[in-house]
Amino acid sequence: MSQLDLSGCKKRKRGERVFKFKVFGERGYPAEFNGSTFQENVRALLEYGQVESGVCGAMASWSFQLEVRRHPLLHLFLFVVEEPLSCRLSCVASTGEGHSLHGVFHSNGFGHLLCINGSESGSDLPGYQIMEFWDRLCSGLGARKVSLKDVARKKGMDLRLLHAVAYGKPWFGHWDYTFGRGSYGVSQEMYLNAVKAIQNIPLSLIAHQLGFQSFQQNDIQILLPRYQLLSGHSLITVGDLFHFMLELKFRIPKECSSIGSNYPGIMSDASCRWSPKRVEMAIHVVVEALKRAEYRWVSRQHVRDVARAYIGDTGLLDFVLKSLGNHMVGKYFVRRCLNPVTKVLEYCLEDVSRPFPKQEAAFPISEPRLKPQQTISRAQLVKDTFCVYKNILGNHNLITNTRVIGTIPMAARAILDSKHLIKEYYSGETSKNYETNKQTIYCTVILANSGTSAGPDEVSTPYHRFVLRNNAAFDELKCEVEKTFREIYFGLRNFIAESVRNMKFKGSDLVFKTVKPGSKIVFEGKQEGPYGVICEGLMAVDCICGAKDDDDGERMVSCDVCQVWQHTRCVQVPDGDEIPNVFVCSACEKHILSFRSLP
C-alpha cells in the first residue's frame, strides 16, 4: 500500500471503483477466492484491479483504491506488481520506503512480509490495522506459508521482547506467526524456555535487587507500588506486570493528554462547569494542602479552609473535593473515607512511591472503599512502560546476588535473536477435488547434481498440487511438472525431469492406475546447461554459538584458512566496524601457533 506519485500513469478513470479497506480480502470481497490454487485466486482478484502503466517500468501492475474512512476522508492504494522470474530475487531486497506495507508472493503461494510501516513511521494507519489487512489478504488468496523478519520497535522498545514477556508470544504472534528459526544457534526450545524464565521471575526479587544496588529510591521502586495499586489485584511476576501495563493501555482513552483528561470521570461530570486549567489548579492546591498534614488524616473542612487561601471559588473547591477522593495525582494517592466515630469525611495523602506506605496497616488497599479508579494518562503509561522495560529487560547490571535475576540478560538475548517468524495459512494439500473426471496428486522435485565424493547434493522444493484427468499418463504429468517448476523457481528454469523416486513406469502408463489420488511423489532431475539454484548457496558454518546451519541472516565472516563462517558478533567484531580483510578463526590460530618455528 502506498501513496505513490502517479503522474506517469495513465489518467485514472472517473468513478473508479473504491473498495472498503476493512473487509478487503475476505471471501467474496471483491472476489470469491474459490480457486483450487493460489494462482487462480490471484487471477480472480486482479480481474477487479485497475490496470496501471508506468508505476514499475515495464512490469505488469494493477491497483486497488481502498477507502479507510470517510470522515475525514482517507484513501490508500494497493499496488500489485507481477515481477518477471529473472528479476524476482533482486526485487525481494526492496526496503519498502514510502510504503505502508510491502510483501512478496511466489506463484506457489509462499510469501514474505518484507516490511510494515505504521503510525510510528509516518503512516496514516497504525501497525495492527495494516497487519489485519495483510493477514486477511493472505487467507483470502489461499497463501500457503508466509515468513517475516520481526524487527518491529516502538518507543525505543523491541516488540518481540516486550510482547514475549507480556503475552508469551511476539507482537506478530497475535496473528498466529510463530517461531520459524533462530539466529546464533537459538532453537525453538531455547526460545520458549527464555520466555518462561523471564515471565516467572518474582517482582519481589527485582525490587530487592534494585534496592540492594542503590541506597536511593530508583524508578522501579516508585513504579511497582503504583501499578500494584492500579491493578486492584496482586502482581506477582515480571510477566504479570508487563501484561497488566500493556492491557491497561487499551482501557485509557487516546485523547487523555492533560490533567483534565487524566480524570475523565471528573471532567465528564454534568456539574463540572469549569475549564480543565482551573480544575488542574484546584487539584494542585488541594494536594499541597494535604502535604502540609504530613500524611495524617484531616477533615474535609480543614482541607477546604487551607485551600480557600488560594482558590476563592468555593464551588470549584467543593466540586474537586467531592470528585478527587481515591484518585491518583502524580505519585500521590488521595484517600477519602468517613470517620466511623465523628461521621465526618476525612482526607489523607499517600505517597505510593514509598515501598512501605505509612498508612498501609491502618487502611489496607484491599478495602472496597479505598479502591482507586483508573487515573493515569496514556503518555505516562508509555513512559512508565519504557522505564520498566529499560530497567528490567535492558539492565545488564542485574546479574549479581541472585542466580534467577542473572538469567535476564541471557534470556532476553535469546528472545531478541528469534526474529524469523512463519505462519502456515494453508498446507497446499487437500483431498477434496470439485472438478469432475479429475484427480489430485502432489509433486516435488529434487535436483541432484554431482557434488563431492561423498555423494550428490540434493535440494528439494515444497510439494505442489497438480490436478489431472483420470486417464492422464506419466508423460503428461512430467510435462506439467517441468513447466510449473520452471515458472516458479528461477534456479529451475532449465530443469529436466528424468525419473520418479522409488518408482518404475513407462511414460504411457496411467498415473492414477499406478498411484492413489492425493499421493505424494518425488521427481528427480537435472539442470540442462549452467546449474541454477533453488535457494542460496550453502556455506560451511561452524560458529562458537552452536550454529551449524546455512546463513541465518546475521552478519558473518569467513576464516581465510579453513573457509568456515562464523558470526561477527560471536568473534567480537562490533556491528559498527567493517569486516576485517583478513580473518583467522581461533581454531586455525591455535593450529598455526602450534607449528614449530623455523630455525
Side-chain angles (χ1 to χ4, degrees):
M1 291 180 295
S2 177
Q3 296 176 346
L4 297 178
D5 180 10
L6 301 177
S7 57
C9 303
K10 65 181 181 180
K11 188 175 180 180
R12 306 193 69 85
K13 293 181 181 179
R14 196 170 195 177
E16 177 187 341
R17 184 172 178 182
V18 178
F19 301 93
K20 294 180 180 179
F21 173 81
K22 292 185 178 180
V23 294
F24 189 88
E26 291 184 354
R27 188 171 295 277
Y29 191 84
E32 289 298 329
F33 299 129
N34 55 5
S36 60
T37 65
F38 172 80
Q39 293 164 298
E40 292 178 6
N41 288 328
V42 171
R43 284 194 289 267
L45 174 65
L46 294 182
E47 290 180 1
Y48 293 85
Q50 171 76 22
V51 178
E52 297 288 353
S53 61
V55 174
C56 294
M59 291 188 287
S61 57
W62 298 259
S63 69
F64 297 83
Q65 191 172 176
L66 309 177
E67 181 183 83
V68 180
R69 60 174 182 262
R70 291 188 177 182
H71 305 289
L73 185 65
L74 175 60
H75 283 191
L76 296 177
F77 287 99
L78 170 66
F79 289 93
V80 180
V81 180
E82 184 179 13
E83 303 171 353
L85 189 63
S86 59
C87 69
R88 182 168 297 171
L89 292 176
S90 62
C91 289
V92 171
S94 173
T95 60
E97 292 182 2
H99 296 67
S100 297
L101 165 70
H102 188 184
V104 171
F105 282 113
H106 301 285
S107 56
N108 60 355
F110 286 77
H112 314 279
L113 177 58
L114 301 181
C115 74
I116 62 170
N117 296 314
S119 52
E120 291 276 315
S121 303
S123 172
D124 293 315
L125 291 176
Y128 76 90
Q129 287 189 9
I130 300 174
M131 268 307 298
E132 287 174 356
F133 173 84
W134 169 257
D135 191 59
R136 200 164 55 242
L137 190 61
C138 291
S139 298
L141 292 174
R144 294 177 62 179
K145 185 180 290 186
V146 177
S147 66
L148 62 86
K149 184 177 181 181
D150 183 3
V151 292
R153 288 175 59 84
K154 190 171 185 178
K155 305 296 184 183
M157 297 176 283
D158 289 286
L159 294 188
R160 63 186 181 279
L161 176 57
L162 179 65
H163 281 253
V165 175
Y167 299 106
K169 57 187 178 182
W171 182 75
F172 290 98
H174 296 283
W175 294 272
D176 299 323
Y177 283 81
T178 59
F179 180 95
R181 59 184 175 90
S183 301
Y184 303 103
V186 176
S187 64
Q188 185 172 13
E189 182 180 4
M190 293 168 61
Y191 168 76
L192 295 175
N193 289 337
V195 172
K196 292 179 180 178
I198 297 181
Q199 282 184 321
N200 296 330
I201 292 177
L203 286 175
S204 57
L205 286 181
I206 296 290
H208 174 76
Q209 181 72 7
L210 290 171
F212 177 81
Q213 291 181 345
S214 175
F215 293 104
Q216 297 181 349
Q217 283 189 348
N218 55 36
D219 295 333
I220 294 297
Q221 289 176 306
I222 294 175
L223 293 178
L224 288 183
R226 174 184 298 173
Y227 285 91
Q228 288 281 10
L229 185 65
L230 289 171
S231 69
H233 61 274
S234 181
L235 302 177
I236 300 175
T237 65
V238 171
D240 293 339
L241 176 62
F242 278 100
H243 184 271
F244 172 72
M245 295 182 80
L246 294 191
E247 287 296 306
L248 183 59
K249 178 182 177 181
F250 300 106
R251 290 158 33 195
I252 302 176
K254 291 185 178 181
E255 58 271 13
C256 288
S257 59
S258 65
I259 189 71
S261 55
N262 287 345
Y263 304 92
I266 296 178
M267 298 310 301
S268 62
D269 193 314
S271 61
C272 181
R273 60 180 188 273
W274 298 273
S275 66
K277 185 176 181 180
R278 294 193 64 191
V279 173
E280 178 182 356
M281 181 181 299
I283 290 174
H284 177 74
V285 169
V286 169
V287 169
E288 289 298 320
L290 290 171
K291 281 183 182 180
R292 296 182 185 181
E294 298 180 349
Y295 306 104
R296 291 180 290 105
W297 287 90
V298 293
S299 68
R300 175 185 179 280
Q301 188 61 44
H302 174 80
V303 179
R304 189 174 185 270
D305 292 342
V306 174
R308 277 204 64 186
Y310 304 92
I311 303 293
D313 190 337
T314 55
L316 174 59
L317 283 177
D318 292 339
F319 171 78
V320 169
L321 287 170
K322 178 188 72 172
S323 306
L324 195 58
N326 299 330
H327 269 79
M328 288 287 299
V329 180
K331 66 177 183 177
Y332 297 105
F333 181 54
V334 182
R335 296 191 172 202
R336 182 185 67 182
C337 72
L338 186 68
N339 190 306
V341 178
T342 63
K343 307 298 181 182
V344 172
L345 276 177
E346 294 185 348
Y347 288 80
C348 177
L349 193 67
E350 179 180 317
D351 186 350
V352 297
S353 65
R354 296 173 181 266
F356 303 100
K358 293 182 178 181
Q359 306 295 335
E360 185 71 26
F363 297 95
I365 296 175
S366 59
E367 292 184 16
R369 62 178 177 176
L370 301 178
K371 184 177 180 180
Q373 301 178 19
Q374 193 56 261
T375 55
I376 188 171
S377 68
R378 271 199 170 213
Q380 184 62 47
L381 177 61
V382 171
K383 181 180 178 181
D384 292 346
T385 303
F386 174 75
C387 179
V388 175
Y389 175 93
K390 179 185 67 175
N391 282 277
I392 295 181
L393 303 181
N395 187 355
H396 298 290
N397 295 322
L398 289 175
I399 57 176
T400 60
N401 236 13
T402 61
R403 182 179 178 182
V404 175
I405 300 297
T407 63
I408 293 181
M410 185 181 300
R413 175 47 56 191
I415 296 172
L416 290 173
D417 288 339
S418 304
K419 51 179 171 286
H420 297 280
L421 309 180
I422 59 171
K423 177 177 179 178
E424 188 166 329
Y425 285 87
Y426 166 62
S427 64
E429 302 173 15
T430 177
S431 59
K432 295 182 180 180
N433 182 41
Y434 300 101
E435 299 184 67
T436 58
N437 302 321
K438 291 189 177 182
Q439 298 290 350
T440 297
I441 192 169
Y442 300 94
C443 302
T444 183
V445 302
I446 284 182
L447 182 64
N449 297 322
S450 297
T452 63
S453 58
D457 298 326
E458 295 184 341
V459 182
S460 63
T461 66
Y463 282 91
H464 191 83
R465 182 173 184 245
F466 292 88
V467 179
L468 304 173
R469 295 178 293 105
N470 289 337
N471 59 350
F474 272 99
D475 280 341
E476 181 181 340
L477 175 60
K478 175 176 174 290
C479 291
E480 286 295 318
V481 167
E482 289 178 346
K483 176 178 178 293
T484 299
F485 284 96
R486 285 174 179 176
E487 291 177 350
I488 293 176
Y489 297 98
F490 180 71
L492 295 176
R493 60 194 181 279
N494 298 316
F495 175 73
I496 300 295
E498 296 180 320
S499 62
V500 175
R501 177 165 289 187
N502 300 325
M503 290 182 62
K504 292 183 178 181
F505 57 85
K506 295 180 180 179
S508 59
D509 291 346
L510 299 182
V511 175
F512 298 111
K513 290 289 185 179
T514 308
V515 297
K516 293 181 179 180
S519 299
K520 295 180 178 180
I521 62 175
V522 179
F523 275 87
E524 296 178 320
K526 65 180 182 180
Q527 279 284 83
E528 193 175 66
Y531 293 135
V533 291
I534 299 176
C535 57
E536 293 184 8
L538 299 176
M539 305 188 307
V541 177
D542 187 10
C543 189
I544 58 177
C545 67
K548 303 288 185 181
D549 298 330
D550 197 7
D551 184 13
D552 59 6
E554 304 299 336
R555 198 170 72 141
M556 306 186 91
V557 60
S558 172
C559 174
D560 290 293
V561 177
C562 65
Q563 302 300 312
V564 172
W565 291 79
Q566 294 179 302
H567 297 113
T568 55
R569 191 181 86 182
C570 297
V571 295
Q572 307 302 315
V573 177
D575 290 339
D577 292 359
E578 294 184 0
I579 295 177
N581 295 325
V582 178
F583 173 76
V584 179
C585 68
S586 58
C588 291
E589 186 178 7
K590 290 179 181 179
H591 187 62
I592 293 173
L593 291 176
S594 66
F595 292 165
R596 291 183 178 181
S597 57
L598 295 175

